[in-house]
Amino acid sequence: VIVSSSFSLEYCEKQNLFNKASYIPCSLDTKRFVLKKHSDSPLPVIGWTGTFSSVVYLDSMKDIFYKLKELRDFKLVLITNFDYELPGIDLEVIRWNKASEIKDLHRIDIGIYPLIEEEWSLGKGGLKVLQYMAIGVPAIATNYGTACNIINSEKNGFLVNNEAEWIETLCLLIDSYELREKIGKKARE
C-alpha cells in the first residue's frame, strides 16, 4: 500500500494483511512546473486550484475573502472544474486544463491551501501546496495535516491557525512584492 499522507501510514500499516505500507509524498516534475517570473503587480492575485470535491475548503474562506476585501485590493483566481461566485470580489474562474495548467498557475502571486480540521483532511497529500511552491509562489496553508510536513512557516511558506492569521498573512504578502518573491524562491528550493 502506498499513501501520499504520513497521517495515513499508521492506519494502512494496521489494516494491511502484511502490516506494510509506504509513504511517498506527492511529487512534481520541476521541468514542467517551472519557476514563475514575479512582477510587482498593483493588484496581487490570490489563487486556489482544486476540483469540486474540495469546494468545502474553498467555501471555508468566504468570510476571510470578504473581510480581506475591506482591508486590501486583490484579485482571486480559481483554477477549477466548476463555476463559483463571490459577489463583490474580483474573481476569475479558469477551467483546469493540463495544457494550460502551468500558465494558469503562473497568474497566481499567493497560493492558498485551506483545510477543515477533520480526519478526512489528514489523508490529503498537500499537492496544492507543492504546486504553488514548485513554481515559486508563496503558499499559505492551514496548520494541519500534511502541509505541516512541507512548509517551514515564514521560511518557505506560511502555516496559519485561524481567520485572524489568514487575514494577517494575506495582508503581509499582498503588501510586499519583495516578501512574495523571497518566500517563493525558498519554496522552490
Side-chain angles (χ1 to χ4, degrees), residues 6-187:
S6 61
F7 297 96
S8 299
L9 185 59
E10 184 179 339
Y11 172 82
C12 289
E13 286 174 333
K14 289 178 184 175
Q15 301 302 316
N16 183 282
L17 180 63
F18 301 104
N19 294 35
K20 292 186 179 180
S22 298
Y23 165 51
I24 301 176
C26 297
S27 60
L28 298 169
D29 179 356
T30 53
K31 290 178 183 154
R32 181 170 177 261
F33 283 80
V34 295
L35 189 62
K36 168 192 168 127
K37 291 188 182 3
H38 290 271
S39 66
D40 192 5
S41 169
L43 189 64
V45 175
I46 298 169
W48 179 89
T49 182
T51 64
F52 188 76
S53 65
S54 297
V55 74
V56 64
Y57 306 114
L58 180 60
D59 285 344
S60 74
M61 295 290 294
K62 283 182 180 181
D63 287 344
I64 291 167
F65 292 139
Y66 284 114
K67 289 176 182 176
L68 182 64
K69 184 64 181 161
E70 295 174 10
L71 302 170
R72 301 292 189 280
D73 286 330
F74 65 93
K75 181 178 182 90
L76 180 61
V77 169
L78 308 177
I79 304 168
T80 71
N81 64 352
F82 59 91
D83 292 325
Y84 200 79
E85 293 184 9
L86 285 169
I89 300 291
D90 184 358
L91 170 66
E92 180 180 354
V93 176
I94 300 171
R95 291 288 176 190
W96 182 88
N97 180 306
K98 183 178 180 180
S100 65
E101 179 179 30
I102 307 307
K103 177 180 68 96
D104 296 339
L105 284 168
H106 280 204
R107 298 204 35 222
I108 296 172
D109 297 309
I110 303 163
I112 60 169
Y113 183 63
L115 290 177
I116 297 170
E117 293 185 23
E118 60 187 14
E119 191 173 30
W120 180 261
S121 296
L122 291 175
K124 297 183 78 52
L127 180 62
K128 288 176 187 59
V129 169
L130 292 169
Q131 288 176 317
Y132 304 141
M133 294 173 80
I135 63 167
V137 170
I140 307 173
T142 303
N143 189 10
Y144 187 74
T146 305
C148 300
N149 298 336
I150 300 169
I151 293 177
N152 183 352
S153 197
E154 299 182 32
K155 302 274 191 282
N156 66 355
F158 295 87
L159 295 170
V160 295
N161 295 295
N162 54 48
E163 182 178 282
E165 289 181 11
W166 270 106
I167 294 169
E168 177 184 346
T169 306
L170 284 164
C171 285
L172 184 70
L173 287 169
I174 287 170
D175 291 348
S176 178
Y177 158 76
E178 292 83 9
L179 182 60
R180 292 193 307 268
E181 186 175 39
K182 176 185 164 191
I183 296 292
K185 284 181 181 178
K186 289 293 184 186

